[in-house]
Amino acid sequence: MKRVVLLLTCSLAASGRAQEPQLPTDVELKASYCVAVTQGIIGMSHGALSSMKPDDPMYDSTAKTTAASEDNLRRLQGYLIPKISHLDAVALGVAHRRGQEDFATAKKAIMTCVDRCMSSPNLAAFTACNTKCRAEIPAITRTNRCNDVNWLPF
């Protein structure tokens, strides 16, 4: 009888542990972070598109960027959603919130760089100034890692 109780106790303890959320891997945390960043990019792109006319020189490239971002978001969600119920929600939430914060910081910094470089004498000088300015901002470097989601396993 003691053996049966011991086996049941061990079995219940093991099944209880299986119910506990697992810590997310680095890939899962990055996916959560990039979901937030990509959602920010899509929101900004939709806003830009709504203020443009189809014959605007930037319309096509903005539409392509929006479509690529929407595809990236589908891939990120397709990877993460099936796993979410088994993962620690707090850790995923922290990564998601960090993505939102970094996106907001990067968005402001991009505007600062554009303002700083606007007095450049020509397009080449503006591009060089803007590229250098953006490289100095860690939030931009971090959010740029979400532009290509080929690090996802599928």
Side-chain angles (χ1 to χ4, degrees):
M1 182 66 171
K2 287 183 180 179
R3 285 185 182 178
V4 172
V5 171
L6 181 61
L7 285 172
L8 284 173
T9 304
C10 289
S11 175
L12 288 173
S15 68
R17 261 185 261 131
Q19 301 291 333
E20 291 179 21
Q22 300 172 351
L23 288 176
T25 65
D26 287 345
V27 171
E28 292 157 347
L29 290 170
K30 186 175 181 179
S32 183
Y33 173 91
C34 287
V35 163
V37 170
T38 306
Q39 287 171 331
I41 292 168
I42 291 169
M44 193 171 68
S45 295
H46 280 290
L49 281 173
S50 69
S51 67
M52 291 181 196
K53 294 182 180 177
D55 62 343
D56 187 304
M58 294 298 295
Y59 188 89
D60 286 341
S61 69
T62 303
K64 286 178 185 174
T65 298
T66 304
S69 295
E70 288 169 343
D71 184 55
N72 284 348
L73 182 61
R74 279 189 294 279
R75 286 193 62 206
L76 289 162
Q77 290 174 332
Y79 173 74
L80 202 53
I81 287 173
K83 299 170 170 251
I84 255 177
S85 64
H86 305 300
L87 298 173
D88 179 14
V90 173
L92 290 175
V94 168
H96 188 84
R97 181 70 184 142
R98 183 57 190 253
Q100 291 172 325
E101 291 168 358
D102 278 354
F103 177 77
T105 299
K107 185 178 173 182
K108 287 179 190 169
I110 288 168
M111 296 314 298
T112 300
C113 288
V114 168
D115 290 344
R116 182 187 307 167
C117 300
M118 198 55 89
S119 62
S120 299
N122 55 47
L123 181 59
F126 171 83
T127 302
C129 174
N130 196 34
T131 301
K132 182 178 184 294
C133 180
R134 288 177 180 216
E136 297 168 356
I137 300 164
I140 292 175
T141 303
R142 287 190 299 271
T143 58
N144 281 346
R145 292 182 186 137
C146 298
N147 292 340
D148 179 3
V149 294
N150 285 328
W151 46 265
L152 286 171
F154 56 85

